[in-house]
């Protein structure tokens, strides 16, 4: 029970309903929503980020952006950025 906060959930979709049923959907637990794809000519994953243009304030809008939240978000973000995946 005392290690629940150290769990990291990697997903390609929404597993939050499942985590809620298991009592594992808390702000301390880390969730990573992955938006990657694999090119048929490469064994390495590629970031799925797509630029959608600018919003009404002139800021860039994106779709398919990998996101991370929870206790280990900083550590996960560092690893993703080092590998060009965030």
């Amino acid at each position: 029970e005392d290690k629940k906060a150290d769990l990291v959930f990697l997903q390609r979709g929404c597993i939050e309903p499942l985590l809620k049923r298991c009592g594992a959907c808390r702000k301390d637990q880390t969730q990573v929503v992955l938006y990657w794809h694999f090119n048929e000519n490469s064994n390495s994953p590629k970031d799925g980020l797509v630029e959608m243009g600018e919003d009404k304030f002139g800021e860039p809008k994106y779709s398919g952006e990998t996101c991370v939240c929870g206790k280990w978000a900083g550590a996960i973000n560092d690893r993703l950025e080092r590998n060009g995946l965030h």
Side-chain angles (χ1 to χ4, degrees), residues 20-43:
K20 283 181 180 179
R21 283 196 306 271
C22 297
C25 189
R26 300 182 185 137
K27 67 179 181 178
D28 292 336
Q29 289 161 329
T30 304
Q31 294 183 46
V32 184
V33 180
L34 304 170
Y35 289 99
W36 302 343
H37 68 276
F38 286 86
N39 185 328
E40 63 186 52
N41 300 323
S42 172
N43 292 329

Side-chain angles (χ1 to χ4, degrees), residues 8-13 15 29-36 66-69 72-73 76-77 80:
V8 176
F9 297 97
L10 301 171
Q11 57 193 349
R12 266 193 69 108
I15 63 168
Q29 289 161 329
T30 304
Q31 294 183 46
V32 184
V33 180
L34 304 170
Y35 289 99
W36 302 343
T66 295
C67 56
V68 184
C69 66
W72 297 109
I76 299 292
N77 274 327
L80 292 171

